[in-house]
């Protein structure tokens, strides 16, 4: 029973609610019809997308967004990370309904094709305003509306003692896994992840905020040494734990905005690095679809067909995702080793899982590089012994 597990945690928290109020909360949700998600695997890939990204006649249209994702993304992406880059527009008739509840009910339509990921919110807490019962109710509500992954940002608990923050996150971790055994609590901490300490025990995945900056530096220098050094310092997560990797954040410009004249090849090389590393990879829809603001559904489809640059980025990222889905060495739990024995212009990761070994090579320079390899090209199925990587070229090899 959930109450027996969470009562010791709640008793240690500064909370004004009675035991009876807490019990009523969990009894309410125990009667919900719960549906668990899938276990993490090589098929797990996340698309970060805004609920208002697609419009019809100038207004956000969730049906149009749903259609776009089902038709063009579902075969390659398992999860939607639904964020709020733009204000959510509720229907005029929704004024009597809590807009947060209406939002999650509306977005629940995606749960039939995708697993869903949300941030906890509000984004900023302080100890005086924090209502643990209400926030726990909102946490469970997201799970009830289809979420299987919830991101909790440690540093959003501003003004709260560290010990209290840890207990809140511990409580939510227990609650999440009670209702969804395969759910994931993704802990965000902007700093050295080695400083997370006891947070590691209540995290199923840890956000890596440094990947984008190290990747951009590698491209700027045409040298993978510092990227490799950083990746080598990342400790292997404990059993049943992994990382959450991304090149872009919702609060900032997409990754490619920080590159000087980004070519298609450079963007695909960056995503090769993203997919090579151990963890759950998240792709920014602004990069995948080549958009910066909400866009009309029909116009977007037409532009993807006629804009060569955007089509090549889209099809290239999707191609990498489709290959990744078919090899167990890409599992978020498969081991990794950073290989620094080859050319310093090439970032190389060895991944092993279920008896399979992959070597994933990404050229971070604007120069061609020749590599001696022995294996099968995952993109073509051809056996190879030598491969020439073009500028920002990618080679995924099965040994």
């Amino acid at each position: 029973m959930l109450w027996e597990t969470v009562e010791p945690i709640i008793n240690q928290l500064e909370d004004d609610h009675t035991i009876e109020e807490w019990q009523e909360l969990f009894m309410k949700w125990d009667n919900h019809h719960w549906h668990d998600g899938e276990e993490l695997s090589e098929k797990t890939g996340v698309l970060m997308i805004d609920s208002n990204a697609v419009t019809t006649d100038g207004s956000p249209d969730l049906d149009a967004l749903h259609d776009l994702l089902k038709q063009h993304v579902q075969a390659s992406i398992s999860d939607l990370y639904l964020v709020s880059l733009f204000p959510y527009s509720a229907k005029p008739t929704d004024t009597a309904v809590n807009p947060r509840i209406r939002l999650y009910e509306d977005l629940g339509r995606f749960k039939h094709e995708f697993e869903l990921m949300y941030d906890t919110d509000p984004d900023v807490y302080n100890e005086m305003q924090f209502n643990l019962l209400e926030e726990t109710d909102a946490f469970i509500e997201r799970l009830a509306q289809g979420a299987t992954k919830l991101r909790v940002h440690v540093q959003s608990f501003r003004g709260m003692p560290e010990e209290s923050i840890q207990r809140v996150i511990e409580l939510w971790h227990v609650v999440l896994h009670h209702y969804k055994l395969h759910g994931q609590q993704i802990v965000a901490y902007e700093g050295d992840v080695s400083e997370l300490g006891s947070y590691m025990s209540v995290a199923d995945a840890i956000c890596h905020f440094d990947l984008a900056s190290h990747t951009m530096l590698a491209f700027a220098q045409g040298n993978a040494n510092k990227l490799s050094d950083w990746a080598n310092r990342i400790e292997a997560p404990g059993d049943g734990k992994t990382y959450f990797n991304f090149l872009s954040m919702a609060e900032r410009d997409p990754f490619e905005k920080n590159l000087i004249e980004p070519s298609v090849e450079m963007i695909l090389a960056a995503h090769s690095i993203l997919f090579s590393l151990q963890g759950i990879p998240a792709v920014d829809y602004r990069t995948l679809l080549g958009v910066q603001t909400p866009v009309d559904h029909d116009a977007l489809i037409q532009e993807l067909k006629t804009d060569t640059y955007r089509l090549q980025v889209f099809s290239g990222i999707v191609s990498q995702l489709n290959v990744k889905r078919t090899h167990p060495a890409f599992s978020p739990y498969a081991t990794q080793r950073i290989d620094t024995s080859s050319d310093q212009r090439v970032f190389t990761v060895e991944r092993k899982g279920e008896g399979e070994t992959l070597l994933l090579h990404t050229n971070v320079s604007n120069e061609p590089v020749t590599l001696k390899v022995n294996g099968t090209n995952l993109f073509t199925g051809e056996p190879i012994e030598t491969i020439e990587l073009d500028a920002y070229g990618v080679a995924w090899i099965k040994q």
Side-chain angles (χ1 to χ4, degrees):
M1 181 180 176
L2 176 59
W3 176 247
E4 295 173 351
T5 308
V6 300
E7 183 181 17
I9 304 171
I10 291 171
N11 287 339
Q12 295 181 62
L13 285 162
E14 294 290 333
D15 181 67
D16 295 331
H17 297 93
T18 65
I19 295 299
E20 289 73 23
E21 287 176 310
W22 278 103
Q23 290 176 329
E24 286 177 10
L25 170 66
F26 295 126
M27 286 177 62
K28 176 183 78 171
W29 289 113
D30 283 344
N31 293 325
H32 181 78
H33 179 68
W34 290 97
H35 174 70
D36 197 7
E38 299 289 331
E39 291 187 76
L40 294 185
S41 72
E42 60 275 9
K43 295 181 175 62
T44 304
V46 177
L47 179 66
M48 182 183 74
I49 190 162
D50 191 279
S51 57
N52 286 343
V54 176
T55 64
T56 301
D57 297 327
S59 298
D61 188 338
L62 283 177
D63 289 328
L65 176 62
H66 194 198
D67 177 70
L68 173 77
L69 296 175
K70 283 180 63 176
Q71 295 296 322
H72 301 282
V73 172
Q74 184 184 355
S76 308
I77 289 286
S78 64
D79 291 64
L80 300 182
Y81 177 14
L82 293 152
V83 297
S84 296
L85 292 165
F86 314 110
Y88 177 70
S89 302
K91 305 179 186 71
T93 55
D94 290 345
T95 52
V97 179
N98 183 316
R100 187 196 72 222
I101 295 175
R102 172 60 66 193
L103 172 60
Y104 292 116
E105 286 179 349
D106 285 351
L107 296 180
R109 73 187 65 192
F110 296 108
K111 67 185 178 186
H112 302 293
E113 291 83 25
F114 302 94
E115 298 198 11
L116 304 182
M117 173 177 169
Y118 295 112
D119 285 331
T120 58
D121 103 308
D123 294 327
V124 179
Y125 304 96
N126 65 58
E127 194 170 19
M128 297 298 295
Q129 295 175 333
F130 187 69
N131 185 319
L132 180 55
L133 185 72
E134 288 184 2
E135 294 300 336
T136 302
D137 189 28
F139 185 91
I140 302 173
E141 183 178 73
R142 291 169 177 77
L143 299 175
Q145 296 293 351
T148 57
K149 297 172 180 64
L150 290 173
R151 191 187 83 143
V152 183
H153 199 305
V154 171
Q155 285 133 330
S156 68
F157 293 86
R158 300 179 186 179
M160 289 183 64
E162 193 77 15
E163 190 173 301
S164 296
I165 299 172
Q166 292 180 2
R167 285 181 179 144
V168 170
I169 297 179
E170 179 185 4
L171 170 66
W172 288 352
H173 188 250
V174 171
V175 167
L176 184 152
H177 284 280
H178 173 77
Y179 293 119
K180 300 204 172 181
L181 179 65
H182 297 134
Q184 299 283 308
Q185 180 158 281
I186 300 172
V187 173
Y189 180 85
E190 296 189 53
D192 189 339
V193 295
S194 65
E195 299 173 1
L196 271 170
S198 60
Y199 289 114
M200 294 292 288
S201 65
V202 292
D204 300 296
I206 301 292
C207 286
H208 264 149
F209 286 90
D210 295 336
L211 174 58
S213 60
H214 285 286
T215 301
M216 286 186 284
L217 180 63
F219 287 160
Q221 296 180 337
N223 187 306
N225 284 346
K226 290 185 177 179
L227 174 63
S228 297
D229 290 344
W230 168 78
N232 257 326
R233 292 195 300 271
I234 298 171
E235 295 184 7
D239 291 342
K241 299 181 185 299
T242 189
Y243 291 100
F244 185 79
N245 301 321
F246 48 89
L247 294 169
S248 302
M249 297 171 57
E251 301 83 0
R252 300 176 190 170
D253 285 334
F255 171 80
E256 65 274 12
K257 278 287 188 179
N258 297 294
L259 302 175
I260 299 173
E261 297 182 357
S263 63
V264 170
E265 292 76 18
M266 192 181 294
I267 294 175
L268 297 184
H271 284 79
S272 171
I273 293 168
L274 171 67
F275 300 143
S276 297
L277 292 170
Q278 183 183 46
I280 305 166
V283 176
D284 188 337
Y285 86 101
R286 295 171 294 181
T287 302
L288 183 68
L289 302 178
V291 298
Q292 299 300 317
T293 59
V295 62
D296 180 80
H297 173 272
D298 293 342
L300 175 59
I301 298 300
Q302 184 63 25
E303 289 162 7
L304 280 175
K305 292 178 180 178
T306 58
D307 186 322
T308 302
Y309 179 93
R310 289 169 64 179
L311 178 60
Q312 289 178 344
V313 168
F314 177 85
S315 59
I317 293 174
V318 166
S319 175
Q320 291 181 6
L321 284 166
N322 289 342
V323 170
K324 171 188 169 297
R325 291 171 61 86
T326 62
H327 292 276
F330 280 110
S331 164
Y333 302 123
T335 62
Q336 79 174 25
R337 181 181 65 86
I338 309 302
D339 185 351
T340 57
S341 62
S342 60
D343 195 295
Q344 64 181 8
R345 295 167 292 181
V346 179
F347 180 67
T348 300
V349 184
E350 180 188 77
R351 299 293 304 278
K352 288 186 176 183
E354 295 188 20
E356 179 181 66
T357 300
L358 306 179
L359 280 176
L360 312 168
H361 306 283
T362 306
N363 183 3
V364 300
S365 77
N366 59 2
E367 303 169 345
V369 177
T370 300
L371 296 177
K372 289 194 174 296
V373 297
N374 185 16
T376 303
N377 187 320
L378 294 189
F379 292 104
T380 66
E382 298 174 344
I384 51 175
E385 294 182 355
T386 301
I387 191 166
E388 182 161 309
L389 293 177
D390 294 331
Y392 306 110
V394 172
W396 291 358
I397 309 298
K398 180 177 180 178
Q399 292 195 307

